[in-house]
Amino acid sequence: MSEYRVTDIFFDLDHTLWDFEKNSALTFAKILAENRVAVDLNGFLEIYSPINFQMWALYRENGITKSELRYQRLKQTFDALDTPVSDEMIHVLAHEYIERLSSFTHLLPNAIEILEYLSPKYKLHIITNGFQEVQERKMKGSSIHHYFDKVINSEMAGVKKPHPRIFELALGMAQVDPKNTLMIGDDLEADIQGAKAMGMQAIHYNSHNVASHEVCRMINDLIEIKSIL
């Protein structure tokens, strides 16, 4: 870590604290069954996950809109599975997925433990590219909202991480100098490189088992933060 004292810690939400993969799988299990869409869940998720990742990368770069992201990730998955599903049903599933996702509340291992450890010592904040209404429900449903002083999302900023403006907004709202901040997130480009470009310190939470790098410190379990801070 840097010689500068950390006063404020910014967390990403999905894949960093909130267990997106698990909660998403449970949501799809529910809505596909209720709408009698006959696909194998594991086969569906295997195709959907990389498509969703690609769609989010496009969305982050303003290549598609929010509504296109929600439609296309399902449309492309069903097409890849050679499963005919009407546009009407895709729109129903897209809507129900967003409505139901936050009702599942699984967090990643040691998320509560590390928030309990950090919250008496630092001001904690969230910077997320997720949709505002969904992210608020996720945090409240999983009982972590109260740990955070400021919650900054891409809709509020008008841009997505790693764009400097979302980090500038976050630093301004928290009223903190970037050298006294730490960003913890799972995405090397959006979270880590975006934060470091602003002069923030960073820890890469390797929830996707990516190759090691020298960009910043990397951890494989949130509990490792205890040995750093």
Side-chain angles (χ1 to χ4, degrees), residues 161-194:
K161 295 177 290 182
H163 196 289
R165 198 184 311 149
I166 192 169
F167 291 100
E168 287 168 359
L169 176 64
L171 293 166
M173 287 176 64
Q175 297 185 303
V176 62
D177 191 298
K179 69 176 181 288
N180 298 121
T181 67
L182 172 66
M183 179 75 203
I184 301 173
D186 69 287
D187 191 296
L188 181 59
E189 181 188 5
D191 298 316
I192 306 309
Q193 292 174 334

Side-chain angles (χ1 to χ4, degrees), residues 14-16 108 185-187 204-210 219-220:
D14 293 330
H15 307 286
T16 300
L108 283 157
D186 69 287
D187 191 296
H204 185 188
Y205 173 42
N206 189 19
S207 62
H208 304 289
N209 296 313
V210 300
I219 59 171
N220 295 299

